Amino acid sequence: MNNLFIAENLKVITKVLPILKIQIHQKEISLVVKKDHLLTVLLFLKNHIKYQFKILTCISGVDSPSNKYRFKVVYELLSVRYNIRLRVKVLTDELTPVESCQHIFAAAGWYESETWDMYGIFFSNHSNLTRLLTDYGFEGYPLRKDFPLSGFVEASYDYTRKRVVNDRVELSQEYRAFKFTSPWETLELN
């Protein structure tokens, strides 16, 4: 059923929907769509009798800083009726928002908030775009490739103030000379 579905419907999809590219990798279909046509494509795939992708299983982001459109937003859809999964991909940059599909798929609200929190991809017309996985005062977006591994701020407990304080991360390290011998070198094996 899956191979038959793919072969029959790829030709029809390209005639009906404004798709930039169709990618097939290991029998998994991905459609690359312009940002302007995203909601139209998602609505069509959800409600058309031949497709019925009624479930949005995930929205994720991919960061490629060297590309013109740095971010790729990936929508993973599931058709329970036909037992098919489909990915819809949209390309965007740091400044251009992607239209929220929260009114089409209810689960999109959480996934879009996660994507915004981790990558900084803004979703316009979202009802409540908040940080979910990081703290309110967190600076930056941790899943971007240019985010430093140590972060910008470290939390530690200050015993004189008797509270947790946030300080800037300082990565300077003094030169260390080790004068002791390794305990493994002193062992004698018979």
Side-chain angles (χ1 to χ4, degrees):
M1 174 67 186
N2 290 346
N3 291 335
L4 182 64
F5 181 85
I6 292 168
E8 286 179 4
N9 290 305
L10 279 183
K11 293 176 185 173
V12 176
I13 287 175
T14 56
K15 291 178 184 175
V16 176
L17 295 176
I19 296 171
L20 294 175
K21 189 192 299 186
I22 297 175
Q23 300 170 337
I24 300 175
H25 180 69
Q26 297 181 350
K27 297 181 183 178
E28 294 181 3
I29 308 170
S30 297
L31 307 177
V32 181
V33 178
K34 285 186 178 180
K35 285 187 301 272
D36 303 337
H37 303 297
L38 173 67
L39 297 183
T40 308
V41 170
L42 290 177
L43 198 60
F44 178 85
L45 291 171
K46 180 179 181 182
N47 295 326
H48 195 277
I49 192 71
K50 275 192 165 183
Y51 305 109
Q52 298 184 24
F53 290 99
K54 301 280 186 190
I55 300 173
L56 176 72
T57 58
C58 182
I59 298 176
S60 55
V62 179
D63 184 14
S64 304
S66 59
N67 293 348
K68 178 182 176 185
Y69 295 106
R70 177 177 182 166
F71 299 110
K72 187 185 301 180
V73 182
V74 182
Y75 298 81
E76 297 192 18
L77 304 174
L78 172 66
S79 174
V80 176
R81 169 99 180 178
Y82 297 110
N83 192 23
I84 296 285
R85 290 184 182 272
L86 176 75
R87 287 189 181 100
V88 178
K89 299 178 181 179
V90 174
L91 303 173
T92 188
D93 56 12
E94 296 170 334
L95 302 175
T96 312
V98 177
E99 188 74 25
S100 175
C101 67
Q102 190 176 15
H103 63 280
I104 299 172
F105 296 104
W110 182 271
Y111 296 133
E112 289 172 351
S113 289
E114 276 185 344
T115 306
W116 176 74
D117 191 12
M118 295 287 108
Y119 291 97
I121 301 169
F122 186 76
F123 292 91
S124 59
N125 298 327
H126 190 279
S127 63
N128 187 17
L129 202 59
T130 59
R131 289 200 178 263
L132 296 175
L133 303 174
T134 58
D135 198 13
Y136 293 109
F138 192 83
E139 294 177 21
Y141 305 101
L143 290 183
R144 285 189 178 182
K145 300 275 173 122
D146 54 2
F147 189 79
L149 292 177
S150 59
F152 296 113
V153 179
E154 65 181 347
S156 61
Y157 186 77
D158 188 357
Y159 289 103
T160 57
R161 296 186 207 168
K162 305 244 187 253
R163 66 182 183 97
V164 176
V165 293
N166 293 324
D167 295 323
R168 285 264 185 226
V169 173
E170 223 177 281
L171 296 176
S172 61
Q173 184 175 359
E174 298 174 9
Y175 175 73
R176 292 189 264 170
F178 299 105
K179 305 230 181 206
F180 60 88
T181 58
S182 170
W184 302 108
E185 293 173 2
T186 58
L187 289 176
E188 291 183 24
L189 299 174
N190 292 337

